[in-house]
Amino acid sequence: MKSIKALAPATVANVSCGFDIFGFAVEAPADEVIITLSDEPGVVIKQITGDGGRLPLEASRNTAGVCLEAFLQSIGSEKGAEVVLHKKLPLGSGMGSSAASSAAALVAINHLYDNPLSREQLLPFAMEAERIACGSAHADNVAPSLLGGFVLIRGYAPLDVTRIPTPPNLYCTLVHPHLELKTEDSRRVLKASIPMKDAITQWGNIAGLVVGLMKPDYGLIMRSLHDVVAEPIRSTLIPGFEVIKAESLKNGALGCGISGSGPTIFSLSTEYSIAEQVGKAIQAQFTSMKLESDVFVSKINDVGARIVNN
Ligand code: HSE
């Protein structure tokens, strides 16, 4: 039977000011999914590695399984699929772990059927899987993991997604402390409404970041990487956040914030060496709090999920 392997990358959602509307893909880490078509209808998850036995093997409760079932149904296939998932993204990290598994599974199955659907058409399946994973069908991890690049979700109803061009000299540092934060929990702490004053600050920063990326204008990017909506509340869930942010800026980063719903910290820099130095500085802070952490430095990944040779 035909079999294929796909990789889908980690993503930084929100990018400080753009709660639920901005996200970009990085080079690593990336989840790996191997799909084999089968004559038996339905989706069977054969094996998951790298999750410490925590993810459900039952397809209807697993993000990759849910996506595959919805895909097969939508194209009217009578075949089924067997899945092997190698988790490389930590769970509950704020790096888009559930999204990467969904994106890899969808790109793989679509390829096995000779790509009947575009990447954009695969998005709603992955969004529904996000709802299963955390109770909210947000697209700011699944869209960049599927499409690559820096993505704006202009609207959700109807879904309107577009890529924002980014300058060549933009490097992302991700530092993942070995702590777990469930997206569901870090969404629950947010307030249901925001004061007009904060809304004005936030939409100024959102527009500023888009213009800054497109021009490019690094000063404008720097001034725009601020969040007065989610970060003030969520940062209380991340030990030492204020010091970490100050250290990151002191070491030359353009900006620093919470990756998605946290606890991973992201930072953007104009040079690889600065991005590495920022990673070391953030890691040193976590170490001083007796927290282990992993550092990933990469450019923005323009490709997103991709098929790899077995
Ligand atoms: N926009 C989502 C949130 C991303 O911040 O809750 C979750 O990774």
Side-chain angles (χ1 to χ4, degrees), residues 13-14 18-21 94-96 130 138 140-141 183 186-187 190 234 259-262:
N14 303 335
F19 180 73
D20 276 1
I21 65 158
M95 295 198 280
E130 290 292 77
H138 57 91
D140 49 346
N141 292 113
T183 300
S186 48
R187 289 183 82 85
L190 298 175
R234 284 180 166 178
S259 175
S261 53

Side-chain angles (χ1 to χ4, degrees), residues 222 226 231 240-257 265-267 278 281-282 285:
M222 192 173 192
H226 295 289
E231 187 179 292
F241 179 79
E242 292 309 327
V243 180
I244 285 167
K245 187 166 175 169
E247 274 296 299
S248 168
L249 299 176
K250 205 169 84 190
N251 279 276
L254 289 173
C256 173
I265 304 290
F266 87 95
S267 176
V278 167
I282 297 175
Q285 289 303 319

Side-chain angles (χ1 to χ4, degrees), residues 148-192:
F150 194 121
V151 177
L152 162 69
I153 296 104
R154 205 278 312 154
Y156 275 85
L159 190 61
D160 186 354
V161 170
T162 190
R163 273 183 51 161
I164 301 171
T166 51
N169 295 335
L170 205 56
Y171 297 87
C172 175
T173 309
L174 287 177
V175 185
H176 168 238
H178 293 188
L179 285 177
E180 202 176 304
L181 253 183
K182 287 205 171 92
T183 300
E184 206 171 344
D185 295 336
S186 48
R187 289 183 82 85
R188 205 175 293 126
V189 296
L190 298 175
K191 293 186 181 130

Side-chain angles (χ1 to χ4, degrees), residues 6-9 103-104 107 119 144-148 301 303-307:
L7 295 183
V107 165
R119 296 275 173 123
S145 195
L146 269 171
L147 307 174
N301 168 353
V303 179
R306 64 193 169 89
I307 300 294

